[in-house]
Amino acid sequence: MTDDRRTELAANLEAVRERIVRACEDAGRDPAGVTLIAVTKFFPATDVDLLAGLGVTDIGENRDQEASAKLADVAVRADLQVHFIGQLQSKKAGSVVGYADVVQSVDRPKLVTALGRAAQSAGKVVDVLVQVNLDEAPGRGGVPPADARALADAVAHSASLRLRGVMAVAPLGSDPAPAFARLQEVAGAIREDHPEADWISAGMSGDLEAAIAHGATHLRVGSAILGTRESHR
Ligand SMILES: *Cc1c(COP(=O)(O)O)cnc(C)c1O
């Protein structure tokens, strides 16, 4: 069972890595500038351990309760960078700071304050990405592009948070390229004030090529590596 799963994950991972190499070739980029984050939501700690054995260094989770329970069972926790990528309530900031190295889904001042306080009392410095909403319709998380710079400033002013860049999800059901181009512009504007904030987290299983073409430094890939989540609910 575990051997079969390992074989399956290895093949999926290899296919995703090939897509990344090809997209980087097309974009004239060095694949070393792109970090693959395996999004392990809905999948068990045993998958996380198998992925780490296959060279995965970064994982993404989107729900606090699931992530905190799962990570307690991961044998190789110390070898992994954990990215929190889901919508986050301020009251959960303390819990998330307990296990996340990076919080990618920061989209409002209240959450900056809560994470800053939580990181300070944990004696940690937490990496933060400002999540930008690229959708006309609000509701899937993210700050409007026009407000991203001010929110980035707020993160940078927190002594226990480190601004690393931006994150976004492409709008559902339309060409992701213009959205990722917009994200790249927002990222550039933020870098004028904060040159070290050079991460762009964009691109998932279906659109990682478009994200690489528009400067993504971090890809968040779930189903192309782990399989469809529906069968595991
Ligand atoms: C689930 C999720 C992903 C991964 O999506 P796939 O289409 O399965 O690759 C990426 N980003 C966020 C924010 C997610 O919630």
Side-chain angles (χ1 to χ4, degrees):
M1 174 65 197
T2 304
D3 276 357
D4 288 353
R5 182 62 172 153
R6 188 178 190 284
T7 304
E8 183 184 0
L9 290 174
N12 290 347
L13 202 52
E14 183 56 30
V16 168
R17 285 176 174 147
E18 276 171 19
R19 283 174 64 191
I20 294 170
V21 167
R22 224 174 301 131
C24 284
E25 273 169 19
D26 289 346
R29 298 185 53 194
D30 181 354
V34 177
T35 300
L36 174 62
I37 301 166
V39 177
T40 47
K41 64 188 185 196
F42 295 115
F43 291 91
T46 49
D47 279 353
V48 177
D49 286 328
L50 288 171
L51 288 170
L54 294 165
V56 167
T57 55
D58 291 70
I59 65 156
E61 287 284 339
N62 74 334
R63 288 190 312 179
D64 173 54
Q65 225 182 350
E66 177 187 345
S68 58
K70 188 185 303 182
L71 285 162
D73 291 338
V74 169
V76 296
R77 172 65 189 89
D79 301 336
L80 292 168
Q81 281 267 111
V82 175
H83 300 253
F84 190 82
I85 62 173
Q87 288 190 27
L88 179 56
Q89 294 172 275
S90 296
K91 65 178 183 191
K92 300 281 184 68
S95 173
V96 168
V97 159
Y99 57 81
D101 302 291
V102 186
V103 180
Q104 297 204 354
S105 43
V106 174
D107 63 357
R108 56 197 191 279
K110 192 180 167 202
L111 185 54
V112 174
T113 307
L115 284 169
R117 283 209 191 103
Q120 188 180 29
S121 51
K124 289 174 89 171
V125 174
V126 176
D127 285 343
V128 163
L129 301 184
V130 167
Q131 183 177 354
V132 181
N133 180 16
L134 300 175
D135 229 313
E136 295 301 313
R140 294 176 71 217
V143 67
D147 300 338
R149 224 167 153 167
L151 191 63
D153 289 342
V155 173
H157 283 132
S158 169
S160 41
L161 304 179
R162 180 159 64 147
L163 178 69
R164 297 309 300 263
V166 295
M167 180 274 246
V169 179
L172 270 178
S174 62
D175 180 6
F180 290 147
R182 183 86 184 91
L183 180 65
Q184 199 172 18
E185 277 172 28
V186 172
I190 289 173
R191 269 203 314 278
E192 285 175 17
D193 302 323
H194 309 285
E196 69 295 345
D198 59 358
W199 292 12
I200 299 178
S201 173
M204 322 200 306
S205 294
D207 57 19
L208 67 88
E209 286 84 0
I212 287 172
H214 291 94
T217 62
H218 291 69
L219 309 173
R220 307 177 310 272
V221 180
S223 50
I225 296 172
L226 287 128
T228 56
R229 290 179 283 275
E230 286 63 30
S231 56
H232 286 259
R233 280 180 207 230

